[in-house]
Structure formats: C-alpha cells, structure tokens
Amino acid sequence: MKLEFMNSLKNTRHYVLAITTSILTINAYAQETPLSGAWVMDDRGSWEGLVATISAQEVLTAFDRSTDDPSMRCVAPALIRTAESQPPFEIIEQDHQILIIYESFNVVRRVRMDGRIAPEWLPLSPVGYSVGTWQGDELVIETTHLTPHLLNDDGFPFNGGSDARIIEKYSVSEDHLELEFSVEDPMNLQGKVATRTFTYDRVPDSMFFHYSCDPLDATGWRLPATGNSLRDLLQWLELRPPIPE
C-alpha cells in the first residue's frame, strides 16, 4: 500500500513538472506585445498607383468575376484580399516567428523573424514566403514566392514569381493598427509599385469561427442579384459546379 502511494506521488510530481515545463516553454516563446491580439477591419483606403499596363488592361477587360475569381469557388483569395476581408485576424508574436491567423478562409501565415531566407526549391503559394524585421516600432514584412492572383475584386492581376513582391508595414497606436501594402509588379503596374493602406481596431477576447465555404453553393450566394429572380436562378444553375455522384 505504501509502495503504491509513493509511486502515485512520484507520478503526480512528474505530471506537475511536465505541465509547469510546458507553461514556461509557451511563455518563453509567446509574447504579449502591442501588435499581438485580434484585429478587425476599420477602414479600407484607396489604391494609389494601381495603373494597369497594356497586358494587365486586357486581363481586366476580359475579367468576369463569376467565373474568373477563384474565391467564388471557395479558393482563398491570396494575401491582400484575405487581409482586407471583414472577419477578424489574430497576430501571435514569438521569438523566431510571427503567426497571422485569418478567420477568412482559415488562412495561416508564418512570418520568419530570425533571418531565414527561402530555400531555392520552395514552390510558389498564395501567401508566399514572408520575412519580417522591426524598424523601430514598425514591423516590415517582405513576401516573395507568390503565385499569380488578384489584387482586388475587379480582377486586377498580380504576376507573382521572381519579379513581384509585397511589402507590408504594421504600426500600432494603442488599440489602432495601420497596415500599408506596397505591391511591386513590373508586368502589370505602369509605375511598377502600387500601395494601399488599411486600418484595424483591436478586438479584446475575440472569438474566432471556422470559415465554411461549400464550392457547390459558393457561386450562387456571391452572384449579384439582378432583381429578376428567374434569371438569377438560371444563371446560378448554369455556373453551379456539377454535384458529385
């Protein structure tokens, strides 16, 4: 009986030690900073310098959002359009990286803060490869290795690849966050650079929800209504993907 009690006490000590170690480890990596926490969109600024080249204008002229916008099929709309969505996002700052978790389309980004550069074999992706540095109180993030995508709902193209990149600048004043995007894309931008600024408000104790989007129904609820219910229904049925058997 005494041996069983001693073994039980020993196991309890190991359990408490494991929990304590885990808490200390989390506290060592996670940081409470002015940037960390949940944020929700306050204002969308206008684009500056978003002037299309001839090739980009041809894309814009032929663009049909109901069929050419991947988000209509529940595909996450890449970096900038994800950041400008209505659902909140959360920033978690650690020693070696910053995590940015968007409720919109359940997108997660990792911003390397330890100087790691992208390996040569790294494939392109909608959120690319992000490296961050602190310049005073301002966080500057450079993102490369981006796939071609859309910069806005009108279908302005972003080329991605080796010649294009996105620079973000985050600055916080109390519970107010300002985020400036600078887009470099010589193929599609006449001035080669375009900028847009967003502002966000802090949301204490924000609750995040799983973002659910059914490709079979997405096109239907995103199509603009014309006022002619029969026409809207026929257009939805025409564009709706086939139901799997």
Side-chain angles (χ1 to χ4, degrees):
M1 189 69 172
K2 182 178 180 181
L3 180 61
E4 291 180 359
F5 174 76
M6 292 300 294
N7 287 335
S8 175
L9 185 61
K10 182 179 179 181
N11 291 336
T12 301
R13 285 201 302 267
H14 287 168
Y15 179 72
V16 172
L17 179 61
I19 292 179
T20 304
T21 302
S22 298
I23 293 175
L24 291 175
T25 301
I26 292 173
N27 289 338
Y29 287 99
Q31 305 175 23
E32 287 296 328
T33 69
L35 187 62
S36 64
W39 302 91
V40 68
M41 175 68 68
D42 173 48
D43 183 62
R44 295 180 177 88
S46 301
W47 279 103
E48 297 181 8
L50 196 68
V51 182
T53 59
I54 294 176
S55 59
Q57 187 58 55
E58 292 174 352
V59 173
L60 286 166
T61 301
F63 180 74
D64 182 347
R65 190 182 181 205
S66 64
T67 56
D68 298 334
D69 184 350
S71 69
M72 304 286 273
R73 304 187 301 276
C74 295
V75 178
L79 180 53
I80 292 180
R81 293 175 68 209
T82 299
E84 70 171 0
S85 60
Q86 288 290 347
F89 67 92
E90 182 177 9
I91 296 176
I92 302 174
E93 189 173 351
Q94 299 175 310
D95 290 335
H96 65 297
Q97 68 178 2
I98 291 177
L99 295 177
I100 305 178
I101 304 172
Y102 301 91
E103 182 179 300
S104 179
F105 287 90
N106 305 308
V107 173
V108 177
R109 294 178 61 197
R110 296 179 185 272
V111 180
R112 282 76 180 177
M113 299 296 294
D114 54 6
R116 281 179 292 170
I117 61 175
E120 294 182 359
W121 51 262
L122 186 72
L124 306 182
S125 71
V127 295
Y129 187 90
S130 298
V131 176
T133 56
W134 283 102
Q135 297 182 9
D137 294 332
E138 185 176 66
L139 173 65
V140 179
I141 301 174
E142 177 181 349
T143 301
T144 58
H145 294 74
L146 289 154
T147 54
H149 58 261
L150 306 179
L151 293 181
N152 59 19
D153 293 345
D154 296 328
F156 199 104
F158 175 78
N159 185 54
S162 59
D163 294 330
R165 65 175 184 162
I166 295 176
I167 303 294
E168 299 160 78
K169 296 180 179 179
Y170 293 75
S171 58
V172 178
S173 176
E174 296 182 351
D175 291 330
H176 191 71
L177 169 66
E178 181 175 286
L179 168 55
E180 177 190 274
F181 280 99
S182 294
V183 178
E184 299 181 11
D185 185 359
M187 176 175 287
N188 295 301
L189 294 169
Q190 280 193 23
K192 299 184 180 180
V193 180
T195 61
R196 191 177 189 186
T197 301
F198 305 103
T199 56
Y200 306 85
D201 293 323
R202 187 185 300 277
V203 187
D205 302 321
S206 175
M207 179 177 291
F208 282 69
F209 298 94
H210 177 75
Y211 192 90
S212 179
C213 187
D214 185 348
L216 296 180
D217 294 324
T219 300
W221 64 262
R222 289 179 182 269
L223 279 176
T226 64
N228 185 326
S229 58
L230 179 58
R231 180 181 177 183
D232 293 342
L233 175 61
L234 291 176
Q235 187 178 19
W236 174 64
L237 290 174
E238 180 182 355
L239 294 175
R240 177 187 173 107
I243 300 176
E245 298 182 355

